Amino acid sequence: MQEKIVKDLAGLMLKGDEHGTWVEISKLIDEGYDRLYIYEMLVTKVMRYIGELWEENEISVAEEHIASNVCSFVLSKVGESAAVEKKKSPGKVMMFCIEGEEHSLGLKMVHNVFKEHSWDIRFFGSNLPVHDAVVFANKWRPDVLCISISIVYNLPNLIRLVEQIDQLDYQPKIIVGGRVSTMYPLNDYLKSKTVVLKDLVEVNDWLVNNRISSRDYVGS
């Protein structure tokens, strides 16, 4: 059943059908599926499936871009549809993909989860240069930096960023996620108290508990 939904949604996105995709997603929301399920079990799997089609030359780069744009639209709609309780913000969070990263859909889902928890967010999207990230962090002083990395070749940029943040006169929490976090033990590379969260369930758990669970996510 889930595999069929994933393929149906992928077909709609590849056609550029924003309305049709949103209709199908909104039906699931109305049926009681929570947003974490939609993000993690549907949208993420849809984009991975589309990525596989591209890798196998079954779709073109243009079609992949069309699907990504539809996905971005749908994620915005899902975020807008969330009932956000009006309460004091737990803190400020700065979100971006590390320098060299061009895709920010996963981070956009993280944005929506933080939004539902009332955080004050600055979302920069893809490919934020390390220098600019450090300058803005030092100026705005967020409580958390939330960073996405999907390509292992960009790991040196992440290491450089963490080292420069460590040199600031204040120490924000650093959260790292993205495809690389599921493939490599990032705590071996990040010599900072950096939290590695591998999926949206872990992100939500961290926000709810304001702490790391018993599993080992923290580099030191």
Side-chain angles (χ1 to χ4, degrees), residues 4-71:
K4 183 180 185 304
I5 294 174
V6 167
K7 290 185 176 181
D8 287 347
L9 289 172
L12 289 168
M13 290 183 185
L14 288 167
K15 292 177 182 176
D17 189 348
E18 292 181 344
H19 175 73
T21 305
W22 171 239
V23 166
E24 294 304 313
I25 293 290
S26 60
K27 284 180 183 177
L28 296 173
I29 294 173
D30 292 342
E31 289 172 10
Y33 287 90
D34 66 34
R35 285 167 178 78
L36 278 179
Y37 176 87
I38 290 170
Y39 295 144
E40 194 67 34
M41 303 306 295
L42 292 181
V43 176
T44 299
K45 290 190 175 185
V46 167
M47 295 314 298
R48 285 177 182 166
Y49 174 65
I50 290 172
E52 290 169 1
L53 293 178
W54 175 76
E55 289 173 356
E56 295 167 3
N57 292 318
E58 293 188 26
I59 62 172
S60 67
V61 172
E63 288 172 305
E64 189 271 339
H65 283 190
I66 289 170
S68 294
N69 287 334
V70 174
C71 186

Side-chain angles (χ1 to χ4, degrees), residues 112-123:
N112 287 0
V113 176
F114 268 81
K115 179 182 175 183
E116 290 185 30
H117 288 273
S118 301
W119 281 70
D120 184 6
I121 304 168
R122 296 295 182 274
F123 185 85

Side-chain angles (χ1 to χ4, degrees), residues 95-139:
M95 295 185 176
F96 57 95
C97 297
I98 198 68
E99 184 175 339
E101 297 283 342
E102 297 296 339
H103 297 287
S104 60
L105 289 175
L107 191 64
K108 193 162 187 177
M109 288 186 276
V110 175
H111 166 277
N112 287 0
V113 176
F114 268 81
K115 179 182 175 183
E116 290 185 30
H117 288 273
S118 301
W119 281 70
D120 184 6
I121 304 168
R122 296 295 182 274
F123 185 85
F124 294 87
S126 61
N127 196 24
L128 183 65
V130 168
H131 172 75
D132 295 276
V134 174
V135 168
F136 189 88
N138 195 39
K139 178 180 179 181

Side-chain angles (χ1 to χ4, degrees), residues 62-81:
E63 288 172 305
E64 189 271 339
H65 283 190
I66 289 170
S68 294
N69 287 334
V70 174
C71 186
S72 180
F73 166 80
V74 169
L75 289 176
S76 295
K77 294 286 287 184
V78 174
E80 291 168 5
S81 70

